[in-house]
Amino acid sequence: MLLAQGLDRTGTGVWAAASVLYFTFVCRLDARQVGLLVGVAAVAGIAGSPIAGRLAERLPVRGLLIGSHLLRLGTMGLMLAVHGFAALLPVVAVTCLAERGAKTLEMLFATRVAGRQRGTYQALFRTVANAGYAVGAGIAAIGLAVGTTNAYRALILADALSYLLAAALIWHTREPSGLGQVVARSADEPADDPAPAPSPWRDRGYLLFVLLDIPMCLEDSVLNVGLPLWLVHHTTAPHAFVPAFLVINTVVVVLLQLPVSRRTEGPRRAAGAVAWYGVTLLACCAVLAASTGAGAWSAAAALLLAAVLVTLAELVRSVTSWELAVSLAPARARASYLGVAGMSQSVQKSVGPLLLTGAVMTAGPVGWLALGAGVTGLSLLQRRACLRRLDALRDADAATPRQLLHA
């Protein structure tokens, strides 16, 4: 399963690094069309997680995951055949929809396979995923250096091949039986709710968790959008430091993901660690605010430190978000609940860059401090809400279904 996920992320890394240039130089789209294409795809991706979760309540997860990989294989093939904006729009949208659905299905499938060791598994997966992204970016760099139309098409074929190989590996991975026993409970997890499976869309407690989880994913936009743009437009640091942000991110994740996961294992420890996410992101934002107006090398050092801090926030979030999404969901409806939980990252990818470019960086250093303070406050609220819900789920045997849904 880890190898399949690694291959998936390798292909995704290839496409992420090459897609904008492919649309620009091969498909001959202008900047406005490319922006609209990427934006619509991101919005379409929001629906991928809940659709996948809903289907997983009724159909085998393994088959759905294989189908998601094969669907992306098909859309990559179509990408080679169509070039106009109108034709590309539905193809790119379906690709993003299938990608987000596949990530939710991977989480479900891995949750079943890993059982109560899901924290350790998530740490291993994060390490493998970062290695896959790095390999994919390296492959893309070779194709981009060649720069011909055939080189771009070869990158798309490499992406498609990764999905085919991932589907083949999933086909040979055994799926544990029993939807109701999706996850083996740890010692501090509550007993399953004996009532009929509830709907996550009517569960205000869980929806609050998902809503608060959106700002808990902002480190992605800070790393990929905030740091590079802040360096270029608000500091005198050399532009050559921009690639170092992703290098630092990859190295720190590989070295520290497992140790961090051990310290946040279990639902209550994960809930407590949410507050550390806010504090770490606040420290990152404070460093970014202090970097403006400094000398070139002082600014560069501050930005590199910010890259380390935002990566530490990512390490915490990547483990706690999954652990809490699983632990806070009733076991009988875990698939549909995790589908809804997966929307938080999709929404953040759509609105996070707009928040940073349209509000935070426009306000200057004060904007970063306001962002850090706001996320820290929301992380404390998330921690309190998660601990309350865990307590409610622990008492589920004595609570009515109505009481549970309003916990």
Side-chain angles (χ1 to χ4, degrees):
M1 184 63 191
L2 280 172
L3 180 57
Q5 290 176 300
L7 285 169
D8 181 355
R9 297 307 184 271
T10 299
T12 301
V14 171
W15 180 240
S19 58
V20 170
L21 295 180
Y22 175 80
F23 294 141
T24 301
F25 295 114
V26 177
C27 301
R28 305 296 180 183
L29 302 182
D30 59 35
R32 182 187 62 83
Q33 290 174 318
V34 172
L36 183 59
L37 199 65
V38 174
V40 171
V43 173
I46 295 174
S49 294
I51 290 174
R54 188 67 174 171
L55 290 174
E57 294 284 359
R58 295 168 171 76
L59 300 171
V61 174
R62 185 177 68 166
L64 290 171
L65 183 53
I66 292 172
S68 295
H69 289 321
L70 295 180
L71 179 57
R72 286 188 289 170
L73 172 65
T75 57
M76 286 295 107
L78 285 174
M79 209 85 71
L80 295 171
V82 299
H83 296 93
F85 175 79
L88 281 169
L89 188 61
V91 175
V92 177
V94 171
T95 301
C96 196
L97 183 80
E99 179 186 346
R100 295 306 310 174
K103 288 185 177 180
T104 295
L105 293 167
E106 283 176 342
M107 184 167 65
L108 281 166
F109 195 74
T111 299
R112 292 187 181 188
V113 173
R116 66 183 62 187
Q117 301 299 318
R118 56 181 176 266
T120 301
Y121 182 94
Q122 174 69 350
L124 290 171
F125 161 67
R126 289 286 303 160
T127 303
V128 170
N130 273 266
Y133 282 130
V135 171
I139 294 172
I142 296 173
L144 297 178
V146 175
T148 64
T149 297
N150 286 335
Y152 279 105
R153 289 173 176 167
L155 292 178
I156 290 182
L157 289 174
D159 187 16
L161 178 62
S162 74
Y163 301 141
L164 179 62
L165 293 175
L169 287 172
I170 294 296
W171 176 263
H172 292 289
T173 303
R174 184 180 65 87
E175 179 177 4
S177 60
L179 182 62
Q181 290 77 35
V182 172
V183 180
R185 292 193 307 272
S186 58
D188 56 352
E189 255 188 289
D192 294 345
D193 181 10
S199 167
W201 298 107
R202 298 179 180 178
D203 189 334
R204 289 185 293 181
Y206 199 82
L207 289 177
L208 176 62
F209 161 74
V210 175
L211 180 63
L212 291 174
D213 201 44
I214 295 173
M216 300 302 110
C217 299
L218 274 172
E219 87 289 334
D220 176 73
S221 292
V222 172
L223 175 68
N224 295 302
V225 177
L227 265 66
L229 291 181
W230 189 255
L231 181 149
V232 171
H233 296 293
H234 296 271
T235 76
T236 57
H239 294 184
F241 277 90
V242 170
F245 299 150
L246 293 180
V247 173
I248 289 174
N249 178 261
T250 300
V251 172
V252 173
V253 167
V254 170
L255 292 178
L256 297 182
Q257 186 68 80
L258 276 171
V260 170
S261 70
R262 294 191 193 102
R263 293 179 177 274
T264 58
E265 195 169 17
R268 300 193 72 84
R269 293 176 73 181
V274 171
W276 285 108
Y277 174 90
V279 172
T280 307
L281 195 65
L282 174 60
C284 171
C285 292
V287 171
L288 285 172
S291 67
T292 186
W297 295 108
S298 297
L303 288 164
L304 294 177
L305 175 59
V308 173
L309 290 169
V310 77
T311 302
L312 292 176
E314 176 190 342
L315 295 178
V316 174
R317 194 272 310 162
S318 63
V319 176
T320 59
S321 182
W322 187 24
E323 176 66 36
L324 292 171
V326 173
S327 301
L328 299 179
R332 295 189 180 189
R334 197 157 269 160
S336 60
Y337 270 68
L338 290 179
V340 173
M343 293 176 62
S344 60
Q345 292 188 37
S346 300
V347 172
Q348 187 282 140
K349 286 182 178 295
S350 297
V351 304
L354 296 177
L355 173 66
L356 292 183
T357 57
V360 174
M361 286 187 281
T362 301
V366 174
W368 284 115
L369 294 175
L371 177 70
V375 172
T376 301
L378 291 174
S379 71
L380 295 174
L381 180 61
Q382 177 80 300
R383 175 184 180 275
R384 182 172 180 270
C386 289
L387 290 174
R388 284 184 58 192
R389 185 172 174 89
L390 288 170
D391 290 339
L393 288 171
R394 177 179 292 175
D395 300 333
D397 289 338
T400 65
R402 181 178 180 84
Q403 288 171 325
L404 178 59
L405 290 178
H406 288 76

